[in-house]
Amino acid sequence: MCLVFGPFAASALLSPLDTAVAGVVAVVSAFVLGWPDGTAGTSAHLVRVLAVAVGSLMAYKLACERTRREAKLVAVRRVAEAAQQAILRPLAKRVGRLGLVGRYVSATAEASVGGDFYEAVVTPWGARLVVGDVRGKGLEAVRLASALLGEFRSRAATEADFADVVSRVDAAASDAGGAEDFATAIFAQATGDGLTIVRCGHPQPLRSDGNGHVIELDVPGTLPLGLGACGFAATPVSLKGDQRLLLYSDGAIETRDGGGRYFDLAASFQRALPLDADTAVQQILDDLGRHAGGVIGDDVVLVLAEPCHPGAPDTRPTQLKEDSWP
């Protein structure tokens, strides 16, 4: 009876055709072994051959079912990736007076969609951008993130008052989400010598000072979107010369290593300052992946903003990263 183990092992690892071949070999072996052990032609010999044949057939069916499940998973993942691309469009490397690099990294290979989001648009009042994180995961988080991004894209291009843009997005969070749904977010609008920022329950931004140091800004905040915050005040923040501003989702600071220590995003950002913007963001992600030991429990969004030098050409959009940690 141990002959049937071969087809079952093949059903877990190989294709249905290979499993069928293993089954045929097992049945033939069961038949031929009747002569060396002296049972050829007996009822015991027939029962053994039939048992191996039935087991091989079951193994073949298991291989077919596994192959169908794997094909379905691949198809679902492709749809999820397309949905993520539709929700999170790649950021342009230059938006108005700002140079931008945006990266999204999924926490798991099986699902590259989540509630983290970002967007940047050019408006008559300057470049406007948002980085946010919807509470929870899965399709409900994706649905709310999509609603908030749609509202931001629409209102950012039509509302002159930046605080009104945030209010509209907040109303959309209340309308589209359930009683316990909310999203943290940070909004920014480019000005002549920096940005004005509205922070809604989101982590504080990080900024370099142009001399190789990074500080956490103290931007007053309100409740997250969808929780009935009253009024949204914009805070001016300088961003000029060689200064850089890093906006991020909380997955970038709540990731722990094996000893329970949180990732030091500010230190990683500071080490990456001498690098160009694309390489700097990738370096931060590499640091985070090493800190987490290759496995994190939350998605991560990073958006690095810096002033564009006069006359800097527009370039193609940066690519959206959807890979899980190595």
Side-chain angles (χ1 to χ4, degrees), residues 131-133 183-187 197-206 216-222 224 246-254 265 301:
V131 172
D133 184 1
T184 67
I186 190 163
F187 300 80
I197 293 179
V198 177
R199 190 174 67 89
C200 305
H202 204 74
Q204 294 280 10
L206 300 175
E216 180 180 273
L217 299 180
D218 184 15
V219 178
T222 65
L246 184 65
L247 307 178
Y248 51 93
S249 60
D250 60 11
I253 56 174
E254 293 183 353
L265 179 61
V301 160

Side-chain angles (χ1 to χ4, degrees), residues 170-211:
D170 178 56
S174 299
D175 294 340
E180 297 182 356
D181 293 331
F182 64 87
T184 67
I186 190 163
F187 300 80
Q189 175 176 294
T191 60
D193 59 353
L195 301 164
T196 55
I197 293 179
V198 177
R199 190 174 67 89
C200 305
H202 204 74
Q204 294 280 10
L206 300 175
R207 189 191 63 192
S208 66
D209 61 4
N211 296 314

